[in-house]
Amino acid sequence: MPLLQVTNLRKSYGKHTSVDGISFEIEQGRCVALLGPNGAGKTTTLRMLAGLLQPTSGAISFDGSHPGMDYRRALGYLPQAPAFYGWMSGMEYVTFAAKLSGSGSKEAASMAATAIERVGLTQDARRRIGGYSGGMKQRLGLAQALVHRPRLLLLDEPVSALDPLGRREVMELLRDIREETTVLFSTHVLHDAEEICDDIILMNRGLIAEQGALSQLRSKYSLPVIRMRTEKNDGALKWLETLASKPFIVEARLSGDGAVFNVSDVEVARRSILQEAASLDIPLLQFEAGSSTLEDLFMKVVGA
Amino acid sequence: MKSVWVFYQKEMLELLRSYKLLWIPVVFIILGIMQPLTTYYMPEILKASGNVPPGLLEGYVIPGAATVMAQALGQYGSMGMLVLALATMNSLSGERYSGTVEMVLVRPLTPATLVIAKWAALLTLLMIALGLGAIAAGYYIEQLIGSLSWSTVLAAASIYGLWLLCAVSMTLLFSAFLRAPVAAFLGLLLTAGLALAHSLLPSWLDWTPAALPDLSAQVLLQAGSVSLVGPCLSAGILILICMGGASLLIRRNILPN
Ligand SMILES: Nc1ncnc2c1ncn2[C@@H]1O[C@H](COP(=O)(O)OP(=O)(O)OP(=O)(O)O)[C@@H](O)[C@H]1O
Ligand SMILES: [Mg+2]
C-alpha cells in the first residue's frame, strides 16, 4: 500500500488553474522529486498535501486512510521561504515546533537537541534566529520539519535559495534524511533530483508530464539522438531546417545554430547527414551521435 | 488544549522580548497617575502659569477620591485603547504576512487554538497594564485626596477592562484578514462608533458593551444599583463572535495572497 495516494487533485483560482487534475502515489521509504519549471504548480501541490490549501477537487489519502483524514501529525513541512520568529533562538524554535506537534516538554527538548545536532546547528543553537544566514535558516527549517520524526517530509525547493556551498550541505543532509523517512521535495533543477531521488514527478503547467522511477525513465528516454552545431550562416541554418523533414528523423528541435534530432536509426542518420554535409560544404562545428538524457526530456517538457 | 498553552507561552515570551510587557503597563501607570496629580496640583499649576483671573481659584474644590478614580479609568478609553490596539494589530496579521503562521498551522492544531492563545495573551497584557495602572492611580489618590474602597476599584476596573477587551477582540478579528494598520484603524473606529452611538442614544443602547465605561464610573460613585447583565452578556457574545470569526478567517487566509 502506498504511503500517499493522490487522485485527480485540482486547484483553481477563479479561471486560472494552477494544478489541473494530477494523480500519483508515493511508496513508503522512497525519495521523490517534484520537478518542474517556475509556475508549474509545485508549491500549490505541496501546500495542498500539507493541508494548508483546500483542493478544488480530488482526494489525498495517507497510509490507506480515508481521504480527508487529518495526517498532519505524521507530516514534516518546509515551505519555499521559511519564516521564523526572529526573536527566538534556533533551539527555542525547534522545541516550540516539537511541542506543537504533541511532544511533552522534556521529550521536546531532547528531540530538538537531536534535530539541531542533525543539521549541524549545535554551535549556533542559542543565538537569535534574526542573526542567522540564509543557509543556517534553511538548515533550521529542516530541523523543525524533522524534529517530531514525521513519516512523510514535504520540502519545497529546499536548496534553490542557497549558494553552491550551502546547497552542497543541504543536499548531503537530504541524502542522510532520506534513509530514515519518505521524502517528497520540489525543485526546478533536474540535477538535484538525479542526485538523491528514486522517483521523479515531472510537472509543467499544472499537469504531470511524466513520472516514474529514475532508472526506468532513463532507459525509457534513452533514445538515439544526434546533436549538431554549425557555423552561423544562412545556408547552414537552412540546411538544418531541411534535415527536419528527413524520414529517419522522428523529432527535431532547432535552437540558434544547433539542433537536436531524435532519430529512428543512428547508423542511417549519421551516414546520410555527414554525406550531405560534405557534399553541400556545410561548416559543421560539432557532431555527436548518442542517446538522449533526462535533461533532454526535461527541456522538451519545459520548452513545449 | 495543550497546544493552546504552548502557543500562549510563546506569545507571552514574545510580549516580553519585544518589551510590550514593559512599556504598555508603564503607559497605563503614567496615565493613571496623571489624573490624581493634575487634579491635586491644578491650583498650583494655574498659579505658576501666572495671569489667572482672581476669584477663579477660590471656587476650586478638589473632587472626591471616587470621582478622580473614575476619571483616571476614563483616561484608558482613549490613550489606553489606542496603545492596546497598536499592540494587537500585528498579532495575527504579522504572522500571516511574514509566513510564520504557515509553519505553525501545518502542525496538528486548529486555527481556533492560535486565536484563543493570542487572545489569552492579550488579556493577560491588558490585566497587567490595567491592574498596575489602577493600583498606581489608587495609591496616589489615597496619598493626595482621600481613601478609596479597593473592592469597588477592583469591580470598576474589571468592568472598564471588559470594554477594553471588546476593542482588543475586534482588532484581533480584523488582523486575521487585513493588514495591521487597517486592523487597528477599523478596530478603533468600530469601538468609537459604538461609544458614540451609546452616548447619543443611551437609553436604547444601555445593553451594549458601550455602556460599560459609564457603569464602571457608577460603580465607583456608588450611584444606586447598576444593571450589569445586559452589557456584560453582550460584551461576552461580541468577544466570542470576534474569536470565532478570526478562527474562520485565518483558516482561509493562511497564505497572505
Ligand atoms: N493565490 C494564488 N492566486 C492566483 N494564482 C495563484 C495563486 N497561487 C499560485 N497561483 C498560480 O498558480 C501557478 C502555480 O504556482 P506555484 O507557486 O504552485 O508554482 P511553482 O511550481 O511552485 O513555481 P516556483 O518554481 O516559481 O515556485 C502559477 O501560475 C501561479 O501564478
Ligand atoms: Mg514554488
Side-chain angles (χ1 to χ4, degrees), chain A residues 13 16 18 36-45 80 156-157 188, chain B residues 257:
Chain A
Y13 294 100
H16 180 87
S18 297
N38 290 133
K42 305 181 296 290
T43 299
T44 310
T45 305
Q80 190 162 354
D156 198 357
E157 309 220 4
H188 55 248
Chain B
N257 39 33

Side-chain angles (χ1 to χ4, degrees), chain B residues 170-221:
Chain B
M170 286 192 284
T171 309
L172 190 66
L173 169 67
F174 290 125
S175 108
F177 63 103
L178 295 170
R179 283 193 177 270
V182 187
F185 177 73
L186 285 181
L188 289 171
L189 190 72
L190 208 61
T191 315
L194 261 176
L196 183 70
H198 175 257
S199 66
L200 292 177
L201 298 165
S203 53
W204 282 21
L205 296 175
D206 59 1
W207 55 272
T208 62
L212 289 167
D214 284 355
L215 292 177
S216 157
Q218 284 171 30
V219 165
L220 271 173
L221 301 171

Side-chain angles (χ1 to χ4, degrees), chain B residues 52-78:
Chain B
V52 187
L56 184 78
L57 289 177
E58 269 92 277
Y60 186 82
V61 253
I62 292 179
T67 312
V68 180
M69 190 70 212
Q71 287 167 347
L73 287 178
Q75 292 295 311
Y76 298 132
S78 45

Side-chain angles (χ1 to χ4, degrees), chain B:
Chain B
M1 275 311 100
K2 202 182 130 252
S3 39
V4 173
W5 175 237
V6 172
F7 212 87
Y8 173 80
Q9 286 176 308
K10 174 246 153 193
E11 285 297 313
M12 291 313 295
L13 196 63
E14 184 164 14
L15 287 177
L16 192 69
R17 298 225 178 131
S18 63
Y19 301 108
K20 283 193 185 134
L21 212 48
L22 182 71
W23 72 263
I24 292 175
V26 166
V27 169
F28 272 67
I29 289 171
I30 292 172
L31 286 175
I33 294 174
M34 291 283 277
Q35 197 62 35
L37 284 187
T38 48
T39 312
Y40 184 75
Y41 290 111
M42 187 57 83
E44 257 94 320
I45 295 168
L46 289 178
K47 252 185 250 156
S49 74
N51 52 21
V52 187
L56 184 78
L57 289 177
E58 269 92 277
Y60 186 82
V61 253
I62 292 179
T67 312
V68 180
M69 190 70 212
Q71 287 167 347
L73 287 178
Q75 292 295 311
Y76 298 132
S78 45
M79 273 300 286
M81 192 169 286
L82 178 67
V83 166
L84 287 172
L86 293 181
T88 308
M89 64 180 191
N90 245 320
S91 62
L92 285 170
S93 95
E95 298 237 11
R96 281 189 307 118
Y97 282 97
S98 71
T100 47
V101 74
E102 185 181 355
M103 297 179 66
V104 166
L105 285 182
V106 287
R107 300 196 177 267
L109 49 105
T110 58
T113 308
L114 198 91
V115 172
I116 293 170
K118 293 223 169 236
W119 180 85
L122 288 164
L123 173 61
T124 311
L125 173 67
L126 169 62
M127 279 168 35
I128 292 174
L130 188 62
L132 291 178
I135 289 172
Y139 175 77
Y140 274 87
I141 290 171
E142 293 226 306
Q143 295 300 309
L144 300 175
I145 296 166
S147 68
L148 279 167
S149 146
W150 283 93
S151 59
T152 340
V153 171
L154 177 67
S158 308
I159 295 169
Y160 210 98
L162 187 58
W163 170 236
L164 294 179
L165 188 60
C166 287
V168 165
S169 305
M170 286 192 284
T171 309
L172 190 66
L173 169 67
F174 290 125
S175 108
F177 63 103
L178 295 170
R179 283 193 177 270
V182 187
F185 177 73
L186 285 181
L188 289 171
L189 190 72
L190 208 61
T191 315
L194 261 176
L196 183 70
H198 175 257
S199 66
L200 292 177
L201 298 165
S203 53
W204 282 21
L205 296 175
D206 59 1
W207 55 272
T208 62
L212 289 167
D214 284 355
L215 292 177
S216 157
Q218 284 171 30
V219 165
L220 271 173
L221 301 171
Q222 288 166 328
S225 67
V226 288
S227 71
L228 281 168
V229 181
C232 286
L233 204 65
S234 60
I237 292 171
L238 175 69
I239 290 169
L240 283 179
I241 290 174
C242 286
M243 290 172 75
S247 309
L248 287 179
L249 286 164
I250 193 103
R251 188 196 298 274
R252 283 209 225 139
N253 292 281
I254 298 174
L255 312 162
N257 39 33

Side-chain angles (χ1 to χ4, degrees), chain A:
Chain A
M1 185 184 11
L3 183 66
L4 188 75
Q5 190 165 24
V6 173
T7 343
N8 245 321
L9 198 62
R10 266 175 53 88
K11 177 75 196 179
S12 44
Y13 294 100
K15 265 199 273 170
H16 180 87
T17 302
S18 297
V19 173
D20 198 1
I22 60 172
S23 302
F24 61 89
E25 287 179 358
I26 294 178
E27 294 292 335
Q28 175 108 39
R30 305 287 278 190
C31 174
V32 183
L34 190 60
L35 186 63
N38 290 133
K42 305 181 296 290
T43 299
T44 310
T45 305
L46 288 175
R47 280 176 172 168
M48 287 192 282
L49 296 182
L52 289 166
L53 209 55
Q54 193 63 38
T56 308
S57 65
I60 302 168
S61 153
F62 186 82
D63 203 17
S65 70
H66 200 70
M69 287 278 286
D70 186 1
Y71 55 91
R72 289 180 298 173
R73 200 169 285 277
L75 211 63
Y77 174 69
L78 176 64
Q80 190 162 354
F84 304 96
Y85 304 107
W87 51 267
M88 275 192 186
S89 74
M91 183 63 85
E92 280 170 342
Y93 189 84
V94 180
T95 312
F96 170 66
K99 283 186 194 163
L100 282 185
S101 280
S103 310
S105 293
K106 271 227 185 87
E107 193 192 4
S110 79
M111 281 166 116
T114 314
I116 288 272
E117 192 186 335
R118 188 70 198 278
V119 300
L121 278 179
T122 312
Q123 291 280 311
D124 302 286
R126 309 263 160 221
R127 278 177 52 196
R128 281 179 67 248
I129 301 173
Y132 278 20
S133 71
M136 287 161 75
K137 279 189 186 151
Q138 205 66 11
R139 280 185 284 154
L140 182 64
L142 278 176
Q144 64 82 32
L146 279 174
V147 66
H148 53 297
R149 303 199 184 98
R151 294 181 60 199
L152 176 63
L153 259 187
L154 303 174
L155 311 172
D156 198 357
E157 309 220 4
V159 296
S160 298
L162 299 177
D163 65 9
L165 207 71
R167 180 189 200 90
R168 197 60 282 127
E169 283 174 5
V170 172
M171 287 304 276
E172 289 305 322
L173 262 171
L174 287 182
R175 196 193 303 279
D176 246 25
I177 289 165
R178 60 146 300 177
E179 297 301 324
E180 288 162 27
T181 184
T182 313
V183 179
L184 174 63
F185 81 94
S186 77
T187 171
H188 55 248
V189 184
L190 174 66
H191 183 71
D192 293 344
E194 288 190 287
E195 207 173 313
I196 54 172
C197 281
D198 308 304
D199 304 305
I200 61 172
I201 298 171
L202 181 52
M203 274 188 90
N204 192 33
R205 302 187 186 185
L207 291 165
I208 293 184
E210 185 59 84
Q211 61 175 321
L214 254 179
S215 50
Q216 269 172 18
L217 291 179
R218 268 202 198 102
S219 54
K220 180 172 170 191
Y221 284 93
S222 124
L223 303 170
V225 67
I226 286 177
R227 291 189 189 81
M228 294 167 61
R229 218 154 55 79
T230 64
E231 266 177 29
K232 272 190 182 140
N233 74 44
D234 287 346
L237 297 181
K238 283 239 177 57
W239 174 70
L240 283 180
E241 278 169 37
T242 60
L243 276 183
S245 57
K246 298 276 180 204
F248 51 79
I249 290 190
V250 183
E251 204 179 330
R253 264 172 293 139
L254 301 172
S255 59
D257 55 350
V260 180
F261 300 115
N262 286 4
V263 297
S264 48
D265 184 335
V266 194
E267 306 294 317
V268 175
R270 175 165 46 200
R271 195 174 322 120
S272 140
I273 290 175
L274 287 178
Q275 269 170 5
E276 210 169 287
S279 65
L280 293 175
D281 203 15
I282 300 292
L284 269 186
L285 289 177
Q286 201 181 33
F287 181 93
E288 182 193 342
S291 54
S292 62
T293 60
L294 286 176
E295 193 70 40
D296 295 317
L297 167 68
F298 184 59
M299 290 319 289
K300 196 167 102 189
V301 165
V302 171

